[in-house]
PDB file of all heavy atoms in Angstrom:
ATOM      1  N   ASP A  57     -57.368  50.898-214.051  1.00  0.00           N
ATOM      2  CA  ASP A  57     -58.350  51.651-214.830  1.00  0.00           C
ATOM      3  C   ASP A  57     -58.077  51.747-216.333  1.00  0.00           C
ATOM      4  O   ASP A  57     -57.963  52.846-216.889  1.00  0.00           O
ATOM      5  CB  ASP A  57     -58.466  53.091-214.280  1.00  0.00           C
ATOM      6  CG  ASP A  57     -59.020  53.115-212.870  1.00  0.00           C
ATOM      7  OD1 ASP A  57     -59.833  52.239-212.543  1.00  0.00           O
ATOM      8  OD2 ASP A  57     -58.636  54.012-212.111  1.00  0.00           O
ATOM      9  N   ALA A  60     -60.280  54.167-218.104  1.00  0.00           N
ATOM     10  CA  ALA A  60     -60.254  55.614-217.797  1.00  0.00           C
ATOM     11  C   ALA A  60     -59.871  56.417-219.036  1.00  0.00           C
ATOM     12  O   ALA A  60     -58.932  56.076-219.752  1.00  0.00           O
ATOM     13  CB  ALA A  60     -59.273  55.882-216.668  1.00  0.00           C
ATOM     14  N   SER A  73     -62.661  72.412-220.670  1.00  0.00           N
ATOM     15  CA  SER A  73     -62.418  71.780-219.366  1.00  0.00           C
ATOM     16  C   SER A  73     -62.247  70.287-219.624  1.00  0.00           C
ATOM     17  O   SER A  73     -62.741  69.767-220.631  1.00  0.00           O
ATOM     18  CB  SER A  73     -63.560  72.054-218.386  1.00  0.00           C
ATOM     19  OG  SER A  73     -64.736  71.408-218.804  1.00  0.00           O
ATOM     20  N   ARG A  75     -61.670  66.213-217.657  1.00  0.00           N
ATOM     21  CA  ARG A  75     -61.701  65.361-216.462  1.00  0.00           C
ATOM     22  C   ARG A  75     -61.703  63.913-216.927  1.00  0.00           C
ATOM     23  O   ARG A  75     -61.940  63.636-218.107  1.00  0.00           O
ATOM     24  CB  ARG A  75     -62.925  65.641-215.571  1.00  0.00           C
ATOM     25  CG  ARG A  75     -64.224  65.061-216.018  1.00  0.00           C
ATOM     26  CD  ARG A  75     -64.788  65.714-217.255  1.00  0.00           C
ATOM     27  NE  ARG A  75     -65.286  67.056-217.006  1.00  0.00           N
ATOM     28  CZ  ARG A  75     -65.363  67.994-217.903  1.00  0.00           C
ATOM     29  NH1 ARG A  75     -65.014  67.739-219.195  1.00  0.00           N
ATOM     30  NH2 ARG A  75     -65.813  69.195-217.642  1.00  0.00           N
ATOM     31  N   ILE A  76     -61.453  62.998-215.976  1.00  0.00           N
ATOM     32  CA  ILE A  76     -61.463  61.570-216.300  1.00  0.00           C
ATOM     33  C   ILE A  76     -62.867  61.004-216.092  1.00  0.00           C
ATOM     34  O   ILE A  76     -63.529  61.313-215.096  1.00  0.00           O
ATOM     35  CB  ILE A  76     -60.482  60.800-215.371  1.00  0.00           C
ATOM     36  CG1 ILE A  76     -59.047  61.313-215.536  1.00  0.00           C
ATOM     37  CG2 ILE A  76     -60.561  59.297-215.619  1.00  0.00           C
ATOM     38  CD1 ILE A  76     -58.387  60.962-216.852  1.00  0.00           C
ATOM     39  N   VAL A  77     -63.316  60.166-217.026  1.00  0.00           N
ATOM     40  CA  VAL A  77     -64.530  59.357-216.834  1.00  0.00           C
ATOM     41  C   VAL A  77     -64.199  57.933-217.305  1.00  0.00           C
ATOM     42  O   VAL A  77     -63.138  57.706-217.881  1.00  0.00           O
ATOM     43  CB  VAL A  77     -65.756  59.913-217.616  1.00  0.00           C
ATOM     44  CG1 VAL A  77     -66.226  61.243-217.044  1.00  0.00           C
ATOM     45  CG2 VAL A  77     -65.471  60.030-219.099  1.00  0.00           C
ATOM     46  N   LEU A  78     -65.120  57.012-217.049  1.00  0.00           N
ATOM     47  CA  LEU A  78     -64.874  55.619-217.425  1.00  0.00           C
ATOM     48  C   LEU A  78     -65.682  55.245-218.660  1.00  0.00           C
ATOM     49  O   LEU A  78     -66.873  55.574-218.756  1.00  0.00           O
ATOM     50  CB  LEU A  78     -65.251  54.687-216.274  1.00  0.00           C
ATOM     51  CG  LEU A  78     -64.421  54.839-214.994  1.00  0.00           C
ATOM     52  CD1 LEU A  78     -64.925  53.877-213.916  1.00  0.00           C
ATOM     53  CD2 LEU A  78     -62.934  54.616-215.246  1.00  0.00           C
ATOM     54  N   TYR A  90     -71.090  57.543-218.372  1.00  0.00           N
ATOM     55  CA  TYR A  90     -72.255  57.943-217.574  1.00  0.00           C
ATOM     56  C   TYR A  90     -71.845  58.994-216.557  1.00  0.00           C
ATOM     57  O   TYR A  90     -70.718  58.983-216.045  1.00  0.00           O
ATOM     58  CB  TYR A  90     -72.848  56.718-216.854  1.00  0.00           C
ATOM     59  CG  TYR A  90     -73.554  55.805-217.826  1.00  0.00           C
ATOM     60  CD1 TYR A  90     -72.863  54.772-218.443  1.00  0.00           C
ATOM     61  CD2 TYR A  90     -74.879  56.018-218.169  1.00  0.00           C
ATOM     62  CE1 TYR A  90     -73.488  53.949-219.373  1.00  0.00           C
ATOM     63  CE2 TYR A  90     -75.516  55.204-219.101  1.00  0.00           C
ATOM     64  CZ  TYR A  90     -74.820  54.178-219.692  1.00  0.00           C
ATOM     65  OH  TYR A  90     -75.451  53.375-220.619  1.00  0.00           O
ATOM     66  N   THR A  91     -72.794  59.862-216.256  1.00  0.00           N
ATOM     67  CA  THR A  91     -72.485  60.957-215.335  1.00  0.00           C
ATOM     68  C   THR A  91     -73.769  61.637-214.872  1.00  0.00           C
ATOM     69  O   THR A  91     -74.867  61.283-215.305  1.00  0.00           O
ATOM     70  CB  THR A  91     -71.551  61.985-216.035  1.00  0.00           C
ATOM     71  OG1 THR A  91     -71.040  62.881-215.047  1.00  0.00           O
ATOM     72  CG2 THR A  91     -72.247  62.764-217.130  1.00  0.00           C
ATOM     73  N   ASN A  92     -73.575  62.634-214.004  1.00  0.00           N
ATOM     74  CA  ASN A  92     -74.687  63.489-213.615  1.00  0.00           C
ATOM     75  C   ASN A  92     -74.829  64.572-214.696  1.00  0.00           C
ATOM     76  O   ASN A  92     -73.879  65.305-214.979  1.00  0.00           O
ATOM     77  CB  ASN A  92     -74.354  64.124-212.253  1.00  0.00           C
ATOM     78  CG  ASN A  92     -75.475  64.979-211.728  1.00  0.00           C
ATOM     79  OD1 ASN A  92     -76.140  65.692-212.482  1.00  0.00           O
ATOM     80  ND2 ASN A  92     -75.694  64.917-210.437  1.00  0.00           N
ATOM     81  N   SER A  95     -73.945  68.169-213.941  1.00  0.00           N
ATOM     82  CA  SER A  95     -72.557  68.484-213.574  1.00  0.00           C
ATOM     83  C   SER A  95     -72.028  69.548-214.539  1.00  0.00           C
ATOM     84  O   SER A  95     -72.682  69.892-215.540  1.00  0.00           O
ATOM     85  CB  SER A  95     -71.704  67.217-213.675  1.00  0.00           C
ATOM     86  OG  SER A  95     -71.710  66.755-215.022  1.00  0.00           O
ATOM     87  N   ARG A  96     -70.815  70.003-214.265  1.00  0.00           N
ATOM     88  CA  ARG A  96     -70.210  70.989-215.175  1.00  0.00           C
ATOM     89  C   ARG A  96     -70.110  70.416-216.590  1.00  0.00           C
ATOM     90  O   ARG A  96     -70.456  71.080-217.568  1.00  0.00           O
ATOM     91  CB  ARG A  96     -68.819  71.365-214.659  1.00  0.00           C
ATOM     92  CG  ARG A  96     -68.138  72.354-215.555  1.00  0.00           C
ATOM     93  CD  ARG A  96     -66.811  72.792-214.986  1.00  0.00           C
ATOM     94  NE  ARG A  96     -66.151  73.696-215.909  1.00  0.00           N
ATOM     95  CZ  ARG A  96     -64.892  74.072-215.790  1.00  0.00           C
ATOM     96  NH1 ARG A  96     -64.178  73.642-214.771  1.00  0.00           N
ATOM     97  NH2 ARG A  96     -64.357  74.885-216.675  1.00  0.00           N
ATOM     98  N   LYS A  97     -69.665  69.169-216.704  1.00  0.00           N
ATOM     99  CA  LYS A  97     -69.532  68.582-218.047  1.00  0.00           C
ATOM    100  C   LYS A  97     -70.889  68.479-218.724  1.00  0.00           C
ATOM    101  O   LYS A  97     -71.027  68.719-219.920  1.00  0.00           O
ATOM    102  CB  LYS A  97     -68.814  67.217-217.974  1.00  0.00           C
ATOM    103  CG  LYS A  97     -69.629  66.100-217.366  1.00  0.00           C
ATOM    104  CD  LYS A  97     -68.871  64.796-217.285  1.00  0.00           C
ATOM    105  CE  LYS A  97     -68.162  64.581-215.972  1.00  0.00           C
ATOM    106  NZ  LYS A  97     -68.939  64.791-214.718  1.00  0.00           N
ATOM    107  N   GLY A  98     -71.931  68.113-217.918  1.00  0.00           N
ATOM    108  CA  GLY A  98     -73.277  67.988-218.482  1.00  0.00           C
ATOM    109  C   GLY A  98     -73.771  69.339-218.986  1.00  0.00           C
ATOM    110  O   GLY A  98     -74.374  69.436-220.066  1.00  0.00           O
ATOM    111  N   GLN A 154     -73.302  66.487-208.307  1.00  0.00           N
ATOM    112  CA  GLN A 154     -71.943  66.606-208.848  1.00  0.00           C
ATOM    113  C   GLN A 154     -71.626  68.017-209.342  1.00  0.00           C
ATOM    114  O   GLN A 154     -72.433  68.637-210.011  1.00  0.00           O
ATOM    115  CB  GLN A 154     -71.783  65.618-210.004  1.00  0.00           C
ATOM    116  CG  GLN A 154     -70.356  65.245-210.279  1.00  0.00           C
ATOM    117  CD  GLN A 154     -70.267  64.176-211.358  1.00  0.00           C
ATOM    118  OE1 GLN A 154     -70.748  64.379-212.472  1.00  0.00           O
ATOM    119  NE2 GLN A 154     -69.664  63.058-211.032  1.00  0.00           N
ATOM    120  N   SER A 155     -70.437  68.495-209.005  1.00  0.00           N
ATOM    121  CA  SER A 155     -69.885  69.797-209.397  1.00  0.00           C
ATOM    122  C   SER A 155     -70.468  70.986-208.623  1.00  0.00           C
ATOM    123  O   SER A 155     -70.088  72.117-208.882  1.00  0.00           O
ATOM    124  CB  SER A 155     -70.004  70.073-210.910  1.00  0.00           C
ATOM    125  OG  SER A 155     -69.578  68.972-211.664  1.00  0.00           O
TER     126      SER A 155
HETATM  127  C1  LIG B  33     -60.447  57.039-212.532  1.00  0.00           C
HETATM  128  C2  LIG B  33     -61.630  57.989-212.490  1.00  0.00           C
HETATM  129  C3  LIG B  33     -62.825  57.599-213.033  1.00  0.00           C
HETATM  130  C4  LIG B  33     -63.932  58.471-213.019  1.00  0.00           C
HETATM  131  N1  LIG B  33     -65.082  58.071-213.639  1.00  0.00           N
HETATM  132  C5  LIG B  33     -66.124  58.947-213.688  1.00  0.00           C
HETATM  133  C6  LIG B  33     -67.297  58.609-214.445  1.00  0.00           C
HETATM  134  O1  LIG B  33     -67.389  57.552-215.111  1.00  0.00           O
HETATM  135  N2  LIG B  33     -68.329  59.494-214.442  1.00  0.00           N
HETATM  136  C7  LIG B  33     -68.252  60.687-213.763  1.00  0.00           C
HETATM  137  O2  LIG B  33     -69.229  61.439-213.785  1.00  0.00           O
HETATM  138  N3  LIG B  33     -67.158  61.051-213.072  1.00  0.00           N
HETATM  139  C8  LIG B  33     -66.085  60.207-213.033  1.00  0.00           C
HETATM  140  N4  LIG B  33     -64.938  60.564-212.361  1.00  0.00           N
HETATM  141  C9  LIG B  33     -64.910  61.894-211.675  1.00  0.00           C
HETATM  142  C10 LIG B  33     -64.638  63.003-212.719  1.00  0.00           C
HETATM  143  O3  LIG B  33     -63.265  63.013-213.080  1.00  0.00           O
HETATM  144  C11 LIG B  33     -65.039  64.402-212.218  1.00  0.00           C
HETATM  145  O4  LIG B  33     -64.410  64.702-210.995  1.00  0.00           O
HETATM  146  C12 LIG B  33     -66.552  64.555-212.030  1.00  0.00           C
HETATM  147  O5  LIG B  33     -67.284  63.830-213.011  1.00  0.00           O
HETATM  148  C13 LIG B  33     -66.957  66.019-212.066  1.00  0.00           C
HETATM  149  O6  LIG B  33     -66.549  66.585-213.302  1.00  0.00           O
HETATM  150  P1  LIG B  33     -67.172  67.979-213.847  1.00  0.00           P
HETATM  151  O7  LIG B  33     -67.284  68.895-212.649  1.00  0.00           O
HETATM  152  O8  LIG B  33     -66.193  68.474-214.846  1.00  0.00           O
HETATM  153  O9  LIG B  33     -68.511  67.671-214.442  1.00  0.00           O
HETATM  154  C14 LIG B  33     -63.831  59.746-212.389  1.00  0.00           C
HETATM  155  C15 LIG B  33     -62.589  60.134-211.859  1.00  0.00           C
HETATM  156  C16 LIG B  33     -61.511  59.270-211.914  1.00  0.00           C
HETATM  157  C17 LIG B  33     -60.167  59.760-211.371  1.00  0.00           C
END
Side-chain angles (χ1 to χ4, degrees):
D57 295 328
S73 67
R75 78 290 289 154
I76 300 290
V77 292
L78 296 178
Y90 288 91
T91 192
N92 183 321
S95 62
R96 179 176 177 191
K97 72 181 93 49
Q154 203 175 58
S155 313

